Amino acid sequence: MGDLVTARLVLHPMTVSEAERVVAGESDSGARWAPGYPTDGDVSAARRFLGTCANTGDPQPFGNYEIRRREDGLAIGGLGFHGPADENGSVTIGYGLIPSARGKGYAAEAVRGLLLFTQSRDVTCVKGDADHDNIASQHVMMAAGMRPAGQDERVRYFEIAWTDTTANTDPRS
């Protein structure tokens, strides 16, 4: 599977060897990591990805993606799926950026890119969540077109769903 490209970013499907390097915290000569990458969240996601690969095989296209800036190719974060689409066509996503890349619209751009991609994969609903005090992440999901869908004592839930009449359109519309 190839990279997903947005205006400023490349969403690169993570391979097993790339995930192993993220977990080890050791980039190879070809990997270009921005200072601060990988974060603890990136390491945790890479571990989950490796576990999935070991148990059921490579989950792509519903795996992990490294978020890279197009301008310099540096990895600044990650996003991905918590698993394949369920029987109703629903997936859950997560994402994160290194601190120096936050507040520049990269996260919303990456999530929008992933949302557009899911529409071509028979996904009918994309879900995400953010802790109540993580206002920035809540803003990211709303900027990407997701809407509040409930909450519990710990998190607010967001989702976007498509019908046949809205498939393959920009998720912000």
Side-chain angles (χ1 to χ4, degrees):
M1 174 174 163
D3 293 341
L4 306 175
V5 180
T6 68
R8 300 179 299 159
L9 303 171
V10 172
L11 309 179
H12 173 72
M14 190 170 275
T15 65
V16 168
S17 62
E18 289 166 337
E20 289 170 342
R21 284 192 295 276
V22 165
V23 169
E26 301 170 353
S27 82
D28 69 357
S29 60
R32 298 183 55 194
W33 295 354
Y37 181 84
T39 66
D40 290 344
D42 294 312
V43 172
S44 176
R47 277 194 185 108
R48 185 175 63 241
F49 172 74
L50 290 171
T52 299
C53 289
N55 292 330
T56 60
D58 189 336
Q60 293 300 352
F62 297 109
N64 289 21
Y65 293 78
E66 204 170 57
I67 301 172
R68 299 175 180 171
R69 285 188 301 239
R70 286 179 67 181
E71 69 185 39
D72 59 13
L74 295 180
I76 58 170
L79 81 162
F81 298 91
H82 292 197
D86 66 17
E87 65 279 355
N88 299 316
S90 179
V91 295
T92 301
I93 62 168
Y95 55 87
L97 294 174
I98 60 172
S100 65
R102 296 176 187 158
K104 297 176 171 82
Y106 291 136
E109 183 176 330
V111 171
R112 275 193 301 273
L114 202 63
L115 292 175
L116 286 170
F117 171 75
T118 61
Q119 290 178 308
S120 67
R121 300 288 183 200
D122 295 324
V123 170
T124 59
C125 181
V126 178
K127 299 176 181 183
D129 62 67
D131 290 342
H132 286 289
D133 62 352
N134 192 345
I135 304 302
S137 186
Q138 294 174 35
H139 287 176
V140 163
M141 286 184 275
M142 291 177 59
M146 299 173 79
R147 296 292 171 245
Q151 63 183 4
D152 62 23
E153 65 282 345
R154 192 179 64 82
V155 299
R156 287 187 74 192
Y157 298 96
F158 293 81
E159 68 180 41
I160 186 169
W162 297 280
T163 64
D164 291 339
T165 60
T166 61
N168 300 314
T169 61
D170 189 316
R172 292 170 294 175
S173 53

